[in-house]
Amino acid sequence: PSPSPPPTPLHSFLLQSVSNVASLHLPFVREAYRCGHTMASLCVLEAEWKACSHNHVASRASVKQGRGLIGSVVAAFGDASCSGVSLSGLDAAVATGQLDGHFPILWGAVCRALGVPLTDTMESYLFASSRTALSAAVREGSLTGPLNAQRLQAALRDPIRQAVRMSEGIAVCQAHCVYPLVEYCQASHDSLFAKMFYS
């Protein structure tokens, strides 16, 4: 068989992005899933996330995504609850300002409330993250088309599973960024002269 072609720059970027999200976000997703049955522990965890999140653009987007997540999940599932975690409790905590509503924290807690297994919670978080990056690449117009984006997303299945396994040994206090250039580019979004997307 012929050797597989080298990865494109977009595919390389996606692999780096998955690694970044796995090492920085997944420890918080996992901990929110495990400790999400008490609001006090989620508040402490969110404070740790804010201290760890050095990228103001990503932090702003995290709150928007988290609030969007809890709003749509409550609308779709009502007041589902599992293991002491209720969607209405999470929604009320965000509405009253007890929680800012950061995306990784709410993702873990919401998945726990819906009874989603932990491994599926982690893999779906990375899937959603890579899907968002691919969606932006398609909207940009010259990086990839929708069909190739689907192929790239499918090709990330094994790297996502590997990244989830790798992240299992990373505690919240050890969360880190493995590809800082990706974070740097995102953080500089506000200083661009023209912007294609709102973050």
Side-chain angles (χ1 to χ4, degrees), residues 66-154:
R67 289 175 180 232
L69 172 69
I70 192 63
S72 60
V73 169
V74 167
F77 295 100
D79 189 25
S81 64
C82 179
S83 304
V85 184
S86 77
L87 294 178
S88 62
L90 293 170
D91 190 35
V94 171
T96 61
Q98 189 177 6
L99 286 174
D100 288 338
H102 281 278
F103 193 53
I105 309 303
L106 286 180
W107 188 278
V110 162
C111 287
R112 172 77 179 259
L114 294 174
V116 177
L118 178 58
T119 301
D120 292 346
T121 297
M122 308 277 273
E123 288 181 5
S124 62
Y125 187 87
L126 290 182
F127 177 89
S129 172
S130 58
R131 184 201 61 214
T132 299
L134 278 165
S135 174
V138 169
R139 285 181 287 153
E140 188 275 334
S142 66
L143 294 173
T144 191
L147 295 178
N148 189 53
Q150 292 294 324
R151 282 190 287 273
L152 287 169
Q153 182 78 58

Side-chain angles (χ1 to χ4, degrees), residues 22 68 93 144 157 171 175 182:
T144 191
R157 182 180 56 226
V182 173

Side-chain angles (χ1 to χ4, degrees), residues 24 49-59 176-177 180 183-184 187:
L24 184 61
W49 167 256
K50 289 190 282 189
C52 188
S53 180
H54 43 67
N55 181 337
H56 68 284
V57 175
S59 183
H176 62 283
C177 179
E183 286 291 306
Y184 176 77

Side-chain angles (χ1 to χ4, degrees), residues 1 6 10 28 36 44 46 98-99 115 125 134 146-147 168 172-174 176 180 186 189 196:
L10 177 57
F28 289 92
V44 169
E46 190 175 67
Q98 189 177 6
L99 286 174
Y125 187 87
L134 278 165
L147 295 178
E168 288 172 358
V172 166
C173 63
Q174 298 169 322
H176 62 283
Q186 186 180 33
H189 187 262
M196 292 183 68

Side-chain angles (χ1 to χ4, degrees), residues 4-86:
S4 59
T8 64
L10 177 57
H11 188 235
S12 297
F13 171 82
L14 290 168
L15 291 173
Q16 292 173 5
S17 179
V18 164
S19 294
N20 264 1
V21 173
S23 61
L24 184 61
H25 294 219
L26 286 190
F28 289 92
V29 174
R30 183 178 54 249
E31 192 61 25
Y33 185 96
R34 290 180 176 157
C35 76
H37 57 282
T38 67
M39 198 55 63
S41 58
L42 283 179
C43 291
V44 169
L45 187 62
E46 190 175 67
E48 290 175 332
W49 167 256
K50 289 190 282 189
C52 188
S53 180
H54 43 67
N55 181 337
H56 68 284
V57 175
S59 183
R60 187 172 61 225
S62 173
V63 170
K64 286 185 178 294
Q65 289 176 311
R67 289 175 180 232
L69 172 69
I70 192 63
S72 60
V73 169
V74 167
F77 295 100
D79 189 25
S81 64
C82 179
S83 304
V85 184
S86 77

